[in-house]
Amino acid sequence: METEQKLGIKTFLYYLYQSVTTGIGILFLAFVIFSINPSLGFISSGLFIFAFFVIAAGVVRSWIKYVSCTFVLGEHALIIKRGIISKKEISIPYRQIQNVNLEQSAIYRIMNVSKLIILTAGQDGNDTVGESEGVFDVIDASVAKYLQEDLLKRTNIQQVETAR
């Protein structure tokens, strides 16, 4: 039985990092205003409350983004499921996969996540992220490496090691 797999907890943490930084900035601003002039406590109080709601909304948004994408390594294809309300299911037959690439920016390396790009027959490698269905913009680095190795094995593609 094929089971749905998540993108890894570090993916959720990355989404959380992206979503709550604004709220943390507002919280910091409220502390600064209150420490400079305690008589402006009403402004600080409003900023504290606003920051709480921004952070809470960021946590909810991060969780929704995290649970809205799963994948299944099926018998004949990789199946990617995306969405909560508007669901989208993409099936990429193994026979069409030509390569599986991993990319890591500096922040991705710090947070131990990757971008996984699945190149299929008919793609020239210059497709933008919005045009390619076989892209995981953020995925736990260990899950990405496992997925890359498994897909390359299933497609009989020899992986070329690059010097780092």
Side-chain angles (χ1 to χ4, degrees), residues 25-111:
I26 295 168
L27 195 60
F28 179 74
L29 180 64
F31 277 119
V32 169
I33 289 173
F34 186 73
S35 64
I36 290 174
N37 191 349
S39 65
L40 296 174
F42 66 95
I43 293 175
S44 295
S45 298
L47 285 175
F48 282 126
I49 292 168
F50 182 64
F52 170 77
F53 283 113
V54 169
I55 291 171
V59 169
V60 170
R61 180 177 180 263
S62 300
W63 182 253
I64 289 171
K65 280 179 76 172
Y66 175 67
V67 299
S68 70
C69 186
T70 59
F71 67 92
V72 176
L73 288 165
E75 187 176 339
H76 301 288
L78 169 68
I79 301 162
I80 302 170
K81 299 178 181 182
R82 293 189 171 121
I84 295 288
I85 296 170
S86 174
K87 294 192 179 259
K88 185 176 188 180
E89 188 172 305
I90 301 132
S91 180
I92 304 172
Y94 297 130
R95 68 186 182 320
Q96 287 188 330
I97 296 174
Q98 293 183 334
N99 203 0
V100 182
N101 297 327
L102 295 177
E103 295 178 2
Q104 282 189 315
S105 65
I107 191 72
Y108 277 28
R109 282 193 299 276
I110 290 168
M111 298 195 74

